[in-house]
Amino acid sequence: MAADRTAGVAAGARRRLDLVGDCGDCQGLCCVALPFTASADFAHSKDAGHPCPRLGADSRCGIHAELRESGYAGCTVFDCFGAGQRISRGTFAGRDWRDDPATARRMFAVFPVQRHLHELLWYLTQAEELPAAGPLRPALQEAVAATERLVAADAETLLALDVAAHRAEANTLLLRASELARAGQPARDRYGRGADLVGARLRRADLRGANLRGALLIAADLREADLGRADLIGADLRDADLRGARLADALFVTRPQLAAARGDADTTIPEGLTRPTHWTTGTRPRRTRQPRRREATNRPGR
């Protein structure tokens, strides 16, 4: 059993490498296929299927190193989970959307489907590696294999796929894996799916094992909070303050979530993720004794 889990972890590590967007091996699909609206996140509006004016002929962003400073913070928190290069080099075997309008339309239609599948693989891979999810490992492995078969399918199969049904089936396993991993944790019954914690004062809160699936944590103060084994799948962490927070053992954390939040050198993050470049790099002095603070009102788990 231990050998099986070790092999599964190694396979998961290799799989995660394929679930990282590689702009150098993509045709700039996210800069063309997706729409965006002028706002605090985007300096101008763009319709779906139209190239961003910042996209060069080499499929590279002309302001990639200055996106935030140029008014395109929304681009920095988007992640295709490797779907872009899969479509460019796999599904369409190197064909360029610029060469044929019909091919372009199909590529742009396949892009969100592949992204959903790649994101799902990210979550399933994490679940498969959880020691507590041992009883579910065969089912998780089959879910991974089924999703990988879809990822490798042709465009017609992908366009005909009922993505919502496939996600719902996999989500049942992810929920069960989460429950097993969070069992016995002090905050296991805290909050519940979709909890409204916008701007909540949760500094130094013990949130180990909390159910924060889909929680609205926009601008929440999570400084030095302990989020070990907290389920963060789908949680909205835009502008959340994660300085000094402990997320190394948090469940289902993604790169876009970290990129949307604020953190520092004291924030611990899960293995396999990269610390966002806009996070502060300085460390803060640790207190030897922490005063107790009133925390946000609890919600029963659901």
Side-chain angles (χ1 to χ4, degrees):
M1 294 294 289
D4 290 343
R5 180 174 177 273
T6 300
V9 169
R14 291 192 298 272
R15 190 182 306 123
R16 279 196 299 272
L17 293 176
D18 293 330
L19 298 175
V20 177
D22 183 357
C23 296
D25 200 24
C26 176
Q27 295 172 7
L29 292 180
C30 65
C31 305
V32 187
L34 304 178
F36 50 76
T37 302
S39 62
D41 291 326
F42 297 101
H44 75 283
S45 297
K46 185 190 81 66
D47 293 331
H50 293 266
C52 173
R54 305 293 187 177
L55 182 67
D58 60 354
S59 297
R60 299 296 184 93
C61 175
I63 58 169
H64 190 269
E66 299 88 29
L67 282 168
R68 285 182 177 273
E69 296 79 3
S70 302
Y72 293 88
C75 296
T76 68
V77 301
F78 177 80
D79 192 338
C80 73
F81 292 91
Q85 65 257 31
R86 166 70 70 167
I87 294 170
S88 298
R89 305 305 173 199
T91 313
F92 287 87
R95 280 174 284 172
D96 196 319
W97 56 267
R98 298 172 180 85
D99 298 334
D100 176 27
T103 296
R105 286 191 295 271
R106 291 171 69 231
M107 290 180 78
F108 302 158
V110 166
F111 183 66
V113 177
Q114 278 284 29
R115 186 189 179 280
H116 280 306
L117 293 174
H118 280 67
E119 182 180 9
L120 191 58
L121 274 176
W122 178 266
Y123 296 137
L124 289 169
T125 297
Q126 290 188 48
E128 184 185 352
E129 295 174 353
L130 291 172
L136 298 176
R137 193 152 292 121
L140 287 166
Q141 290 171 342
E142 176 51 37
V144 166
T147 305
E148 287 184 324
R149 287 193 293 270
L150 289 171
V151 162
D154 57 26
E156 287 69 27
T157 300
L158 291 165
L159 291 173
L161 176 67
D162 186 340
V163 178
H166 184 73
R167 285 182 68 101
E169 185 175 344
N171 193 50
T172 300
L173 285 173
L174 294 174
L175 279 167
R176 292 172 61 193
S178 171
E179 291 169 355
L180 289 171
R182 294 185 297 109
Q185 296 296 314
R188 186 195 181 301
D189 296 322
R190 296 277 287 280
Y191 303 119
R193 185 198 301 260
D196 185 352
L197 296 167
V198 175
R201 292 181 294 176
L202 293 163
R203 188 174 187 180
R204 305 190 189 100
D206 185 352
L207 299 173
R208 288 175 293 167
N211 180 4
L212 296 171
R213 295 174 66 91
L216 299 177
L217 288 159
I218 302 167
D221 184 356
L222 289 161
R223 286 175 293 171
E224 300 175 49
D226 192 342
L227 290 147
R229 288 290 182 261
D231 187 341
L232 288 168
I233 196 167
D236 192 338
L237 292 171
R238 283 178 293 169
D239 206 32
D241 194 340
L242 297 177
R243 288 176 293 172
R246 294 180 285 281
L247 289 92
D249 295 322
L251 307 178
F252 308 125
V253 179
T254 64
R255 289 178 294 274
Q257 286 176 315
L258 296 181
R262 292 177 289 143
D264 62 10
D266 291 328
T267 308
T268 62
I269 61 176
E271 184 179 356
L273 293 177
T274 303
R275 192 175 303 274
T277 57
H278 70 278
W279 283 13
T280 56
T281 56
T283 59
R284 292 164 292 106
R286 295 289 187 181
R287 297 189 184 188
T288 56
R289 184 176 181 180
Q290 309 290 0
R292 296 182 64 84
R293 293 175 61 92
R294 184 177 180 179
E295 299 174 2
T297 303
N298 295 353
R299 285 190 177 189
R302 280 186 272 169

